[in-house]
Amino acid sequence: MRIDSRKPKAAALSAALTVALLAGAGATDAHAATLSDTVGPTPSEATLVQPVDYRGDGYGSMQEWNASMEAKRDSLEMRAQIIMNMYGDYATDDERAVLQGCIDGAGSLLTMGEVDAKSTELDELRAALEDAKCEALEAAAEAEAAEAAQASYYNAGYTPSYASAASYANGSGLTRSAGVNNYNGRRETYYSSNVLYHYRTGEWTQDSEGFWRDSDGYYVVAAGDMAQGSTFTGSKGDCKVYDSGCAAGTTDYYTGW
């Protein structure tokens, strides 16, 4: 918004001229002072435009602050869109409203504090939605296992034992159809390159099952409770951590599904 600084200056000039005319016409100093008080003081530019305390935010210049602020707003909007794409189906109406608010309103945030608070809110929301996604996939896996067991009962004429959701697993490890698997105390699920394209995806290749693997043959996974670059064994084989953001105890395989 452009502020027309001519108006305050014009008001000040008018007041000064009026006082001068009164003095020239024989008005007393008391009359002039009274008139000056009535007109009021001239507002300064500092009262019209509140400058950003870029030094208080740790920046050496306003240009540096603006560049950082723009980058943070863009990052916030992009992260909110990614979370919406990945977890929108598992979010409540209120959670989707928060995400949409970040997507549409990131550019209107005015302070670093506001941006940082929204960033923290997004991190917490993503963790909650990751749990919701895993619970939904587990429920689907349990229903699939129960359906398969029921079909087996009718086909073979006996009642098989049912695997609970907590211990449900198949002989091939995590699969696209199951969507969730439990292995060695960890819950396994997946996230897709069709939704979230990792910046290093171009370095990796998909195997015959659609899993992304790095140049050393490791399965590319995300694990929020493990250090980047660490390796461990999952249901599919040797895995290497290249991403985070999922709940503790969860392994997210990177796939092309």
Side-chain angles (χ1 to χ4, degrees), residues 140-154 162:
E142 182 180 15
E144 183 179 345
E147 184 178 348
Q150 186 177 31
S152 177
Y153 169 78
Y154 286 116
Y162 284 76

Side-chain angles (χ1 to χ4, degrees), residues 3 42-51:
I3 297 175
T42 303
S44 67
E45 288 190 14
T47 64
L48 298 175
V49 179
Q50 295 297 326

